[in-house]
Structure formats: structure tokens, C-alpha cells
Amino acid sequence: MNINRAEFISSSPSVAACPKEAIPEYAFIGRSNVGKSSLINMLVGRKRLARTSSTPGKTRLINHYRINGEWLLADLPGYGYARVSKKERDRLARMIREYVTLRPNLACLFVLVDARIPPQQIDLEFIGWLGEKRVPFVLVLTKADKVSQGEKAGNVKLLKQELSRQWEELPLIIESSAVKGAGRDEIIGFISDTNKKLVRG
Ligand code: GTP
Ligand code: MG
């Protein structure tokens, strides 16, 4: 699939305020600073469509983008950022959970985890919760350019071990680098296939 058009639609403070569109939506979720906004820019081939920052906690609203006029990308705030007040952290956590459970056109979530570090409790808890809610998701290991093959393989192995405790079948795992463009074809291919399946019903 070629991406010919990528338009910003809106920034919403709650799921109720999100744009009412009846086309498939793909959302990017994960810890603060994991690289959600950077990955969206890499996928659509635009440097500054989604705002990124080296300081965690940049994205505080749900940002929607329309791609090729046919499907949507949603950039969500990160979860678990320690340096905001507990009240703000709880608000963001509630917003993310409401979005995931209530967004009617959500086709699939991309849950981003950092390829450089072993599985984090907060990610495993979030993934476990998705299982309980039966929300379809794909795992994306970000910043693959910043870690050695050996270390990455070790982290992937640990992640799979942890996931095997919760799941009989492992989810799809894709490695990505916003800097090198790694993972782009696989993610866009997955979205394209899912869109086709949804149209066929
Ligand atoms: P919040 O909106 O704060 O939750 O963060 P985010 O998950 O949207 O992260 P963002 O895309 O803003 O990226 C955070 C930092 O990581 C930035 O300094 C990016 O340049 C850097 N970064 C993101 N992805 C990659 C990657 O694949 N490789 C490298 N080397 N750096 C990356
Ligand atoms: Mg962001």
C-alpha cells in the first residue's frame, strides 16, 4: 500500500470527543517516550506530522490522522510516566482504557515496547488487561537501531517467556526503528491486510 495522503484531524481530550468516523482505526499505545509519535511519522513518511520529544509525556491528547482518506491512525499519550502528578497519571490511564474499550471503529492496537530493555511490569499488565478485554493487538519493539542483536534477542526471549504465561498463542511481534525505517513494510502490510478483511467482513 502506498501512502498518498496523511491529514491531521483533531486532538481529543476524551473518547467521547474523538472524531466520529466509520473507517478502520489503528492506535499506537505504550509507555511514555517509547516512540509512538516517531513511529507514526516514519510510517507515513512525514517528519513532523505527529509531535515528538526527547522529554517523556509529550502527547497528552488523542491525536487522529486520516490516511489515504480510507483509514485512521491514533496517537495516544504514553502510560506510566512517573514525573507527572498521580492525578494526571490516573487521568491518562483512564483515558487510554476508555479509548481502548469504547472506540467503536478500532481495528487493532499496536502496543509499543522498548527493544532495549527486558519486559517491564507495566507493559505486561497492560497486555494482560487487553487479553481480558479481548482487544486485538500487535506488539512492536521500538528503537531496534539502538540495541545490539544479542541484547535484543535476549529481551525478545524474556518477553516471549513472560507472554507464554498468559497466552497459549503468542501475538505478532514486529521490530521497528523510526530512524532506519525498519518494520515499516510489515506494519503497513498488516494494516492493509486487516483493512481488506474488514471490507470483506
Ligand atoms: P510520549 O508522547 O511522550 O508518550 O512519547 P512517544 O512514545 O510518542 O515518543 P516519541 O516518538 O516522542 O519519541 C521519544 C524519543 O525517542 C525521541 O527523542 C525520539 O527521537 C526517540 N525515538 C523514537 N523512536 C526511535 C527509534 O526507533 N530509534 C531511535 N534511535 N530513537 C527513537
Ligand atoms: Mg507521543
Side-chain angles (χ1 to χ4, degrees), residues 30-39 51-60 75-79 112 116 142-146 176-180:
R31 273 186 311 121
S32 212
N33 206 242
V34 73
K36 301 172 289 296
S37 303
S38 302
L39 181 61
R51 303 266 290 279
T52 65
S53 168
S54 53
T55 327
K58 178 70 187 171
T59 312
R60 294 291 176 94
D75 185 14
L76 277 94
Y79 51 72
L112 278 56
R116 299 173 301 176
T142 63
K143 307 192 185 183
D145 58 285
K146 278 184 125 181
S176 77
S177 163
V179 177
K180 306 249 183 218

PDB file of all heavy atoms in Angstrom, residues 30-39 51-60 75-79 112 116 142-146 176-180, ligand 1:
ATOM      1  N   GLY A  30       1.674   2.766  24.405  1.00  0.00           N
ATOM      2  CA  GLY A  30       2.855   2.232  25.076  1.00  0.00           C
ATOM      3  C   GLY A  30       3.371   3.248  26.072  1.00  0.00           C
ATOM      4  O   GLY A  30       2.845   4.361  26.164  1.00  0.00           O
ATOM      5  N   ARG A  31       4.415   2.862  26.797  1.00  0.00           N
ATOM      6  CA  ARG A  31       4.955   3.758  27.809  1.00  0.00           C
ATOM      7  C   ARG A  31       5.391   5.076  27.190  1.00  0.00           C
ATOM      8  O   ARG A  31       5.768   5.133  26.026  1.00  0.00           O
ATOM      9  CB  ARG A  31       6.144   3.107  28.522  1.00  0.00           C
ATOM     10  CG  ARG A  31       5.693   2.244  29.698  1.00  0.00           C
ATOM     11  CD  ARG A  31       6.861   1.712  30.487  1.00  0.00           C
ATOM     12  NE  ARG A  31       7.844   1.130  29.623  1.00  0.00           N
ATOM     13  CZ  ARG A  31       9.109   1.553  29.551  1.00  0.00           C
ATOM     14  NH1 ARG A  31       9.533   2.564  30.279  1.00  0.00           N
ATOM     15  NH2 ARG A  31       9.938   0.953  28.738  1.00  0.00           N
ATOM     16  N   SER A  32       5.372   6.080  28.024  1.00  0.00           N
ATOM     17  CA  SER A  32       5.808   7.394  27.608  1.00  0.00           C
ATOM     18  C   SER A  32       7.229   7.319  27.063  1.00  0.00           C
ATOM     19  O   SER A  32       8.074   6.628  27.641  1.00  0.00           O
ATOM     20  CB  SER A  32       5.785   8.282  28.853  1.00  0.00           C
ATOM     21  OG  SER A  32       5.477   9.564  28.479  1.00  0.00           O
ATOM     22  N   ASN A  33       7.467   7.971  25.932  1.00  0.00           N
ATOM     23  CA  ASN A  33       8.812   8.054  25.325  1.00  0.00           C
ATOM     24  C   ASN A  33       9.244   6.787  24.567  1.00  0.00           C
ATOM     25  O   ASN A  33      10.373   6.697  24.085  1.00  0.00           O
ATOM     26  CB  ASN A  33       9.862   8.394  26.413  1.00  0.00           C
ATOM     27  CG  ASN A  33      11.070   9.095  25.835  1.00  0.00           C
ATOM     28  OD1 ASN A  33      12.177   8.600  25.904  1.00  0.00           O
ATOM     29  ND2 ASN A  33      10.863  10.236  25.222  1.00  0.00           N
ATOM     30  N   VAL A  34       8.360   5.817  24.435  1.00  0.00           N
ATOM     31  CA  VAL A  34       8.742   4.568  23.765  1.00  0.00           C
ATOM     32  C   VAL A  34       8.906   4.761  22.247  1.00  0.00           C
ATOM     33  O   VAL A  34       9.562   3.967  21.576  1.00  0.00           O
ATOM     34  CB  VAL A  34       7.718   3.441  24.103  1.00  0.00           C
ATOM     35  CG1 VAL A  34       6.394   3.644  23.401  1.00  0.00           C
ATOM     36  CG2 VAL A  34       8.278   2.069  23.763  1.00  0.00           C
ATOM     37  N   GLY A  35       8.278   5.840  21.720  1.00  0.00           N
ATOM     38  CA  GLY A  35       8.446   6.137  20.288  1.00  0.00           C
ATOM     39  C   GLY A  35       7.179   6.032  19.454  1.00  0.00           C
ATOM     40  O   GLY A  35       7.243   5.796  18.244  1.00  0.00           O
ATOM     41  N   LYS A  36       6.026   6.273  20.067  1.00  0.00           N
ATOM     42  CA  LYS A  36       4.739   6.169  19.346  1.00  0.00           C
ATOM     43  C   LYS A  36       4.635   7.213  18.234  1.00  0.00           C
ATOM     44  O   LYS A  36       4.325   6.894  17.079  1.00  0.00           O
ATOM     45  CB  LYS A  36       3.561   6.348  20.333  1.00  0.00           C
ATOM     46  CG  LYS A  36       3.550   5.322  21.454  1.00  0.00           C
ATOM     47  CD  LYS A  36       2.507   5.622  22.507  1.00  0.00           C
ATOM     48  CE  LYS A  36       2.814   6.818  23.384  1.00  0.00           C
ATOM     49  NZ  LYS A  36       4.009   6.682  24.233  1.00  0.00           N
ATOM     50  N   SER A  37       4.868   8.467  18.605  1.00  0.00           N
ATOM     51  CA  SER A  37       4.711   9.553  17.624  1.00  0.00           C
ATOM     52  C   SER A  37       5.766   9.419  16.523  1.00  0.00           C
ATOM     53  O   SER A  37       5.471   9.633  15.337  1.00  0.00           O
ATOM     54  CB  SER A  37       4.805  10.903  18.324  1.00  0.00           C
ATOM     55  OG  SER A  37       3.835  10.992  19.361  1.00  0.00           O
ATOM     56  N   SER A  38       6.983   9.047  16.879  1.00  0.00           N
ATOM     57  CA  SER A  38       8.052   8.866  15.885  1.00  0.00           C
ATOM     58  C   SER A  38       7.697   7.752  14.909  1.00  0.00           C
ATOM     59  O   SER A  38       7.963   7.856  13.704  1.00  0.00           O
ATOM     60  CB  SER A  38       9.369   8.503  16.569  1.00  0.00           C
ATOM     61  OG  SER A  38       9.730   9.489  17.490  1.00  0.00           O
ATOM     62  N   LEU A  39       7.104   6.686  15.414  1.00  0.00           N
ATOM     63  CA  LEU A  39       6.739   5.558  14.549  1.00  0.00           C
ATOM     64  C   LEU A  39       5.659   5.986  13.554  1.00  0.00           C
ATOM     65  O   LEU A  39       5.729   5.652  12.368  1.00  0.00           O
ATOM     66  CB  LEU A  39       6.259   4.360  15.387  1.00  0.00           C
ATOM     67  CG  LEU A  39       5.884   3.114  14.597  1.00  0.00           C
ATOM     68  CD1 LEU A  39       7.058   2.570  13.795  1.00  0.00           C
ATOM     69  CD2 LEU A  39       5.356   2.014  15.525  1.00  0.00           C
ATOM     70  N   ARG A  51       3.723  15.115  16.814  1.00  0.00           N
ATOM     71  CA  ARG A  51       4.756  15.827  17.584  1.00  0.00           C
ATOM     72  C   ARG A  51       5.531  14.842  18.454  1.00  0.00           C
ATOM     73  O   ARG A  51       4.944  14.038  19.176  1.00  0.00           O
ATOM     74  CB  ARG A  51       4.101  16.896  18.473  1.00  0.00           C
ATOM     75  CG  ARG A  51       3.273  17.898  17.677  1.00  0.00           C
ATOM     76  CD  ARG A  51       4.076  19.129  17.311  1.00  0.00           C
ATOM     77  NE  ARG A  51       4.368  19.948  18.470  1.00  0.00           N
ATOM     78  CZ  ARG A  51       3.512  20.809  19.004  1.00  0.00           C
ATOM     79  NH1 ARG A  51       2.291  20.935  18.541  1.00  0.00           N
ATOM     80  NH2 ARG A  51       3.870  21.556  20.027  1.00  0.00           N
ATOM     81  N   THR A  52       6.859  14.931  18.376  1.00  0.00           N
ATOM     82  CA  THR A  52       7.701  14.039  19.176  1.00  0.00           C
ATOM     83  C   THR A  52       8.561  14.887  20.113  1.00  0.00           C
ATOM     84  O   THR A  52       8.695  16.095  19.924  1.00  0.00           O
ATOM     85  CB  THR A  52       8.650  13.211  18.292  1.00  0.00           C
ATOM     86  OG1 THR A  52       9.571  14.103  17.662  1.00  0.00           O
ATOM     87  CG2 THR A  52       7.893  12.451  17.221  1.00  0.00           C
ATOM     88  N   SER A  53       9.153  14.234  21.108  1.00  0.00           N
ATOM     89  CA  SER A  53      10.023  14.958  22.031  1.00  0.00           C
ATOM     90  C   SER A  53      10.947  13.997  22.754  1.00  0.00           C
ATOM     91  O   SER A  53      10.577  12.846  23.010  1.00  0.00           O
ATOM     92  CB  SER A  53       9.166  15.695  23.051  1.00  0.00           C
ATOM     93  OG  SER A  53       9.983  16.174  24.094  1.00  0.00           O
ATOM     94  N   SER A  54      12.146  14.482  23.089  1.00  0.00           N
ATOM     95  CA  SER A  54      13.043  13.641  23.885  1.00  0.00           C
ATOM     96  C   SER A  54      12.602  13.631  25.354  1.00  0.00           C
ATOM     97  O   SER A  54      13.049  12.812  26.135  1.00  0.00           O
ATOM     98  CB  SER A  54      14.472  14.138  23.763  1.00  0.00           C
ATOM     99  OG  SER A  54      14.514  15.499  24.083  1.00  0.00           O
ATOM    100  N   THR A  55      11.701  14.538  25.731  1.00  0.00           N
ATOM    101  CA  THR A  55      11.166  14.534  27.093  1.00  0.00           C
ATOM    102  C   THR A  55       9.888  13.716  27.112  1.00  0.00           C
ATOM    103  O   THR A  55       8.987  13.979  26.314  1.00  0.00           O
ATOM    104  CB  THR A  55      10.793  15.968  27.550  1.00  0.00           C
ATOM    105  OG1 THR A  55      11.701  16.873  26.952  1.00  0.00           O
ATOM    106  CG2 THR A  55      10.793  16.102  29.033  1.00  0.00           C
ATOM    107  N   PRO A  56       9.798  12.725  28.000  1.00  0.00           N
ATOM    108  CA  PRO A  56       8.583  11.910  28.051  1.00  0.00           C
ATOM    109  C   PRO A  56       7.347  12.747  28.385  1.00  0.00           C
ATOM    110  O   PRO A  56       7.471  13.825  28.975  1.00  0.00           O
ATOM    111  CB  PRO A  56       8.852  10.907  29.174  1.00  0.00           C
ATOM    112  CG  PRO A  56      10.309  10.986  29.459  1.00  0.00           C
ATOM    113  CD  PRO A  56      10.785  12.317  29.008  1.00  0.00           C
ATOM    114  N   GLY A  57       6.180  12.242  28.021  1.00  0.00           N
ATOM    115  CA  GLY A  57       4.934  12.922  28.364  1.00  0.00           C
ATOM    116  C   GLY A  57       4.545  13.992  27.374  1.00  0.00           C
ATOM    117  O   GLY A  57       3.793  14.919  27.697  1.00  0.00           O
ATOM    118  N   LYS A  58       5.060  13.902  26.150  1.00  0.00           N
ATOM    119  CA  LYS A  58       4.778  14.931  25.146  1.00  0.00           C
ATOM    120  C   LYS A  58       3.305  14.897  24.712  1.00  0.00           C
ATOM    121  O   LYS A  58       2.638  15.922  24.672  1.00  0.00           O
ATOM    122  CB  LYS A  58       5.683  14.695  23.920  1.00  0.00           C
ATOM    123  CG  LYS A  58       5.459  15.656  22.772  1.00  0.00           C
ATOM    124  CD  LYS A  58       5.934  17.037  23.142  1.00  0.00           C
ATOM    125  CE  LYS A  58       5.558  18.054  22.079  1.00  0.00           C
ATOM    126  NZ  LYS A  58       5.833  19.408  22.534  1.00  0.00           N
ATOM    127  N   THR A  59       2.819  13.729  24.358  1.00  0.00           N
ATOM    128  CA  THR A  59       1.456  13.614  23.845  1.00  0.00           C
ATOM    129  C   THR A  59       0.492  13.472  25.024  1.00  0.00           C
ATOM    130  O   THR A  59       0.613  12.544  25.817  1.00  0.00           O
ATOM    131  CB  THR A  59       1.366  12.379  22.899  1.00  0.00           C
ATOM    132  OG1 THR A  59       2.466  12.419  21.990  1.00  0.00           O
ATOM    133  CG2 THR A  59       0.058  12.360  22.132  1.00  0.00           C
ATOM    134  N   ARG A  60      -0.446  14.425  25.145  1.00  0.00           N
ATOM    135  CA  ARG A  60      -1.388  14.378  26.278  1.00  0.00           C
ATOM    136  C   ARG A  60      -2.835  14.192  25.824  1.00  0.00           C
ATOM    137  O   ARG A  60      -3.745  14.074  26.627  1.00  0.00           O
ATOM    138  CB  ARG A  60      -1.305  15.662  27.100  1.00  0.00           C
ATOM    139  CG  ARG A  60       0.009  15.875  27.807  1.00  0.00           C
ATOM    140  CD  ARG A  60       0.182  14.862  28.930  1.00  0.00           C
ATOM    141  NE  ARG A  60       1.497  15.013  29.558  1.00  0.00           N
ATOM    142  CZ  ARG A  60       1.720  15.752  30.630  1.00  0.00           C
ATOM    143  NH1 ARG A  60       0.747  16.407  31.202  1.00  0.00           N
ATOM    144  NH2 ARG A  60       2.930  15.831  31.129  1.00  0.00           N
ATOM    145  N   ASP A  75      -2.704   8.502  17.711  1.00  0.00           N
ATOM    146  CA  ASP A  75      -1.505   8.617  18.546  1.00  0.00           C
ATOM    147  C   ASP A  75      -1.974   8.921  19.964  1.00  0.00           C
ATOM    148  O   ASP A  75      -2.603   9.952  20.203  1.00  0.00           O
ATOM    149  CB  ASP A  75      -0.627   9.758  18.004  1.00  0.00           C
ATOM    150  CG  ASP A  75       0.706   9.864  18.733  1.00  0.00           C
ATOM    151  OD1 ASP A  75       1.072   8.925  19.462  1.00  0.00           O
ATOM    152  OD2 ASP A  75       1.393  10.897  18.550  1.00  0.00           O
ATOM    153  N   LEU A  76      -1.685   8.018  20.883  1.00  0.00           N
ATOM    154  CA  LEU A  76      -2.177   8.200  22.250  1.00  0.00           C
ATOM    155  C   LEU A  76      -1.076   8.684  23.190  1.00  0.00           C
ATOM    156  O   LEU A  76       0.104   8.491  22.905  1.00  0.00           O
ATOM    157  CB  LEU A  76      -2.746   6.879  22.775  1.00  0.00           C
ATOM    158  CG  LEU A  76      -4.188   6.659  22.308  1.00  0.00           C
ATOM    159  CD1 LEU A  76      -4.216   5.845  21.058  1.00  0.00           C
ATOM    160  CD2 LEU A  76      -5.021   6.050  23.400  1.00  0.00           C
ATOM    161  N   PRO A  77      -1.478   9.263  24.322  1.00  0.00           N
ATOM    162  CA  PRO A  77      -0.477   9.608  25.332  1.00  0.00           C
ATOM    163  C   PRO A  77       0.138   8.319  25.880  1.00  0.00           C
ATOM    164  O   PRO A  77      -0.489   7.270  25.863  1.00  0.00           O
ATOM    165  CB  PRO A  77      -1.286  10.306  26.420  1.00  0.00           C
ATOM    166  CG  PRO A  77      -2.593  10.646  25.804  1.00  0.00           C
ATOM    167  CD  PRO A  77      -2.831   9.635  24.734  1.00  0.00           C
ATOM    168  N   GLY A  78       1.362   8.428  26.370  1.00  0.00           N
ATOM    169  CA  GLY A  78       2.007   7.262  26.971  1.00  0.00           C
ATOM    170  C   GLY A  78       1.426   6.975  28.348  1.00  0.00           C
ATOM    171  O   GLY A  78       0.897   7.868  28.991  1.00  0.00           O
ATOM    172  N   TYR A  79       1.559   5.732  28.788  1.00  0.00           N
ATOM    173  CA  TYR A  79       1.141   5.421  30.160  1.00  0.00           C
ATOM    174  C   TYR A  79       2.385   5.328  31.058  1.00  0.00           C
ATOM    175  O   TYR A  79       3.500   5.115  30.585  1.00  0.00           O
ATOM    176  CB  TYR A  79       0.292   4.157  30.233  1.00  0.00           C
ATOM    177  CG  TYR A  79       0.835   2.904  29.562  1.00  0.00           C
ATOM    178  CD1 TYR A  79       1.910   2.192  30.094  1.00  0.00           C
ATOM    179  CD2 TYR A  79       0.237   2.406  28.406  1.00  0.00           C
ATOM    180  CE1 TYR A  79       2.377   1.044  29.494  1.00  0.00           C
ATOM    181  CE2 TYR A  79       0.692   1.245  27.796  1.00  0.00           C
ATOM    182  CZ  TYR A  79       1.770   0.573  28.349  1.00  0.00           C
ATOM    183  OH  TYR A  79       2.224  -0.565  27.749  1.00  0.00           O
ATOM    184  N   LEU A 112       3.524  -0.665  21.820  1.00  0.00           N
ATOM    185  CA  LEU A 112       4.956  -0.467  21.626  1.00  0.00           C
ATOM    186  C   LEU A 112       5.709  -0.756  22.908  1.00  0.00           C
ATOM    187  O   LEU A 112       5.329  -0.263  23.982  1.00  0.00           O
ATOM    188  CB  LEU A 112       5.225   0.977  21.185  1.00  0.00           C
ATOM    189  CG  LEU A 112       5.035   1.288  19.690  1.00  0.00           C
ATOM    190  CD1 LEU A 112       3.654   0.917  19.204  1.00  0.00           C
ATOM    191  CD2 LEU A 112       5.330   2.745  19.413  1.00  0.00           C
ATOM    192  N   ARG A 116      15.208  -2.219  23.837  1.00  0.00           N
ATOM    193  CA  ARG A 116      16.500  -2.154  24.524  1.00  0.00           C
ATOM    194  C   ARG A 116      16.471  -2.708  25.939  1.00  0.00           C
ATOM    195  O   ARG A 116      17.511  -2.908  26.553  1.00  0.00           O
ATOM    196  CB  ARG A 116      16.971  -0.692  24.597  1.00  0.00           C
ATOM    197  CG  ARG A 116      17.160  -0.059  23.236  1.00  0.00           C
ATOM    198  CD  ARG A 116      17.445   1.414  23.367  1.00  0.00           C
ATOM    199  NE  ARG A 116      16.336   2.092  24.059  1.00  0.00           N
ATOM    200  CZ  ARG A 116      16.332   3.373  24.380  1.00  0.00           C
ATOM    201  NH1 ARG A 116      17.377   4.136  24.097  1.00  0.00           N
ATOM    202  NH2 ARG A 116      15.292   3.909  24.991  1.00  0.00           N
ATOM    203  N   THR A 142      10.359  -1.180  19.692  1.00  0.00           N
ATOM    204  CA  THR A 142      10.872   0.074  19.122  1.00  0.00           C
ATOM    205  C   THR A 142      12.362   0.283  19.410  1.00  0.00           C
ATOM    206  O   THR A 142      12.942  -0.383  20.259  1.00  0.00           O
ATOM    207  CB  THR A 142      10.109   1.282  19.684  1.00  0.00           C
ATOM    208  OG1 THR A 142      10.337   1.343  21.093  1.00  0.00           O
ATOM    209  CG2 THR A 142       8.627   1.195  19.404  1.00  0.00           C
ATOM    210  N   LYS A 143      12.935   1.231  18.699  1.00  0.00           N
ATOM    211  CA  LYS A 143      14.324   1.673  18.889  1.00  0.00           C
ATOM    212  C   LYS A 143      15.309   0.526  18.668  1.00  0.00           C
ATOM    213  O   LYS A 143      16.352   0.446  19.330  1.00  0.00           O
ATOM    214  CB  LYS A 143      14.506   2.328  20.271  1.00  0.00           C
ATOM    215  CG  LYS A 143      13.476   3.449  20.523  1.00  0.00           C
ATOM    216  CD  LYS A 143      13.809   4.300  21.731  1.00  0.00           C
ATOM    217  CE  LYS A 143      12.695   5.318  21.996  1.00  0.00           C
ATOM    218  NZ  LYS A 143      12.952   6.234  23.093  1.00  0.00           N
ATOM    219  N   ALA A 144      14.956  -0.364  17.725  1.00  0.00           N
ATOM    220  CA  ALA A 144      15.798  -1.532  17.443  1.00  0.00           C
ATOM    221  C   ALA A 144      17.187  -1.117  16.963  1.00  0.00           C
ATOM    222  O   ALA A 144      18.141  -1.895  17.083  1.00  0.00           O
ATOM    223  CB  ALA A 144      15.113  -2.426  16.407  1.00  0.00           C
ATOM    224  N   ASP A 145      17.315   0.104  16.436  1.00  0.00           N
ATOM    225  CA  ASP A 145      18.634   0.585  15.974  1.00  0.00           C
ATOM    226  C   ASP A 145      19.580   0.891  17.126  1.00  0.00           C
ATOM    227  O   ASP A 145      20.778   1.058  16.931  1.00  0.00           O
ATOM    228  CB  ASP A 145      18.449   1.845  15.117  1.00  0.00           C
ATOM    229  CG  ASP A 145      17.733   2.955  15.871  1.00  0.00           C
ATOM    230  OD1 ASP A 145      16.497   2.858  16.053  1.00  0.00           O
ATOM    231  OD2 ASP A 145      18.380   3.916  16.302  1.00  0.00           O
ATOM    232  N   LYS A 146      19.022   0.975  18.344  1.00  0.00           N
ATOM    233  CA  LYS A 146      19.852   1.403  19.473  1.00  0.00           C
ATOM    234  C   LYS A 146      20.289   0.254  20.373  1.00  0.00           C
ATOM    235  O   LYS A 146      20.751   0.481  21.490  1.00  0.00           O
ATOM    236  CB  LYS A 146      19.073   2.414  20.325  1.00  0.00           C
ATOM    237  CG  LYS A 146      19.130   3.833  19.772  1.00  0.00           C
ATOM    238  CD  LYS A 146      18.447   4.784  20.695  1.00  0.00           C
ATOM    239  CE  LYS A 146      19.304   5.945  21.145  1.00  0.00           C
ATOM    240  NZ  LYS A 146      18.545   6.812  22.070  1.00  0.00           N
ATOM    241  N   SER A 176      10.987  -2.519  15.131  1.00  0.00           N
ATOM    242  CA  SER A 176      10.944  -1.278  14.351  1.00  0.00           C
ATOM    243  C   SER A 176      12.077  -0.328  14.724  1.00  0.00           C
ATOM    244  O   SER A 176      12.630  -0.390  15.821  1.00  0.00           O
ATOM    245  CB  SER A 176       9.606  -0.565  14.569  1.00  0.00           C
ATOM    246  OG  SER A 176       9.614   0.089  15.817  1.00  0.00           O
ATOM    247  N   SER A 177      12.393   0.527  13.780  1.00  0.00           N
ATOM    248  CA  SER A 177      13.279   1.656  14.047  1.00  0.00           C
ATOM    249  C   SER A 177      12.764   2.856  13.270  1.00  0.00           C
ATOM    250  O   SER A 177      12.697   2.823  12.042  1.00  0.00           O
ATOM    251  CB  SER A 177      14.708   1.345  13.606  1.00  0.00           C
ATOM    252  OG  SER A 177      15.423   2.572  13.508  1.00  0.00           O
ATOM    253  N   ALA A 178      12.386   3.889  14.003  1.00  0.00           N
ATOM    254  CA  ALA A 178      11.894   5.111  13.350  1.00  0.00           C
ATOM    255  C   ALA A 178      13.030   5.790  12.601  1.00  0.00           C
ATOM    256  O   ALA A 178      12.802   6.524  11.649  1.00  0.00           O
ATOM    257  CB  ALA A 178      11.294   6.045  14.392  1.00  0.00           C
ATOM    258  N   VAL A 179      14.265   5.540  13.023  1.00  0.00           N
ATOM    259  CA  VAL A 179      15.427   6.157  12.400  1.00  0.00           C
ATOM    260  C   VAL A 179      15.775   5.458  11.087  1.00  0.00           C
ATOM    261  O   VAL A 179      16.013   6.102  10.070  1.00  0.00           O
ATOM    262  CB  VAL A 179      16.644   6.109  13.369  1.00  0.00           C
ATOM    263  CG1 VAL A 179      17.888   6.677  12.716  1.00  0.00           C
ATOM    264  CG2 VAL A 179      16.328   6.869  14.649  1.00  0.00           C
ATOM    265  N   LYS A 180      15.750   4.139  11.092  1.00  0.00           N
ATOM    266  CA  LYS A 180      16.162   3.370   9.911  1.00  0.00           C
ATOM    267  C   LYS A 180      14.992   2.941   9.027  1.00  0.00           C
ATOM    268  O   LYS A 180      15.207   2.388   7.946  1.00  0.00           O
ATOM    269  CB  LYS A 180      16.923   2.116  10.352  1.00  0.00           C
ATOM    270  CG  LYS A 180      18.084   2.395  11.271  1.00  0.00           C
ATOM    271  CD  LYS A 180      19.404   2.124  10.589  1.00  0.00           C
ATOM    272  CE  LYS A 180      20.512   2.339  11.551  1.00  0.00           C
ATOM    273  NZ  LYS A 180      21.685   2.888  11.219  1.00  0.00           N
TER     274      LYS A 180
HETATM  275  P1  GTP B   1       5.085  10.447  24.556  1.00  0.00           P
HETATM  276  O1  GTP B   1       4.217  11.167  23.565  1.00  0.00           O
HETATM  277  O2  GTP B   1       5.796  11.356  25.486  1.00  0.00           O
HETATM  278  O3  GTP B   1       4.373   9.341  25.255  1.00  0.00           O
HETATM  279  O4  GTP B   1       6.317   9.744  23.742  1.00  0.00           O
HETATM  280  P2  GTP B   1       6.286   8.899  22.383  1.00  0.00           P
HETATM  281  O5  GTP B   1       6.081   7.459  22.722  1.00  0.00           O
HETATM  282  O6  GTP B   1       5.367   9.497  21.383  1.00  0.00           O
HETATM  283  O7  GTP B   1       7.823   9.036  21.911  1.00  0.00           O
HETATM  284  P3  GTP B   1       8.422   9.981  20.765  1.00  0.00           P
HETATM  285  O8  GTP B   1       8.023   9.488  19.431  1.00  0.00           O
HETATM  286  O9  GTP B   1       8.146  11.404  21.097  1.00  0.00           O
HETATM  287  O10 GTP B   1       9.980   9.637  20.908  1.00  0.00           O
HETATM  288  C1  GTP B   1      10.683   9.784  22.138  1.00  0.00           C
HETATM  289  C2  GTP B   1      12.174   9.917  21.854  1.00  0.00           C
HETATM  290  O11 GTP B   1      12.707   8.688  21.328  1.00  0.00           O
HETATM  291  C3  GTP B   1      12.530  10.978  20.818  1.00  0.00           C
HETATM  292  O12 GTP B   1      13.733  11.609  21.231  1.00  0.00           O
HETATM  293  C4  GTP B   1      12.730  10.185  19.541  1.00  0.00           C
HETATM  294  O13 GTP B   1      13.618  10.809  18.638  1.00  0.00           O
HETATM  295  C5  GTP B   1      13.338   8.893  20.073  1.00  0.00           C
HETATM  296  N1  GTP B   1      12.989   7.727  19.207  1.00  0.00           N
HETATM  297  C6  GTP B   1      11.767   7.285  18.902  1.00  0.00           C
HETATM  298  N2  GTP B   1      11.810   6.192  18.115  1.00  0.00           N
HETATM  299  C7  GTP B   1      13.126   5.927  17.909  1.00  0.00           C
HETATM  300  C8  GTP B   1      13.830   4.904  17.180  1.00  0.00           C
HETATM  301  O14 GTP B   1      13.268   3.996  16.558  1.00  0.00           O
HETATM  302  N3  GTP B   1      15.194   4.951  17.229  1.00  0.00           N
HETATM  303  C9  GTP B   1      15.867   5.914  17.932  1.00  0.00           C
HETATM  304  N4  GTP B   1      17.184   5.870  17.925  1.00  0.00           N
HETATM  305  N5  GTP B   1      15.237   6.884  18.624  1.00  0.00           N
HETATM  306  C10 GTP B   1      13.889   6.898  18.614  1.00  0.00           C
END
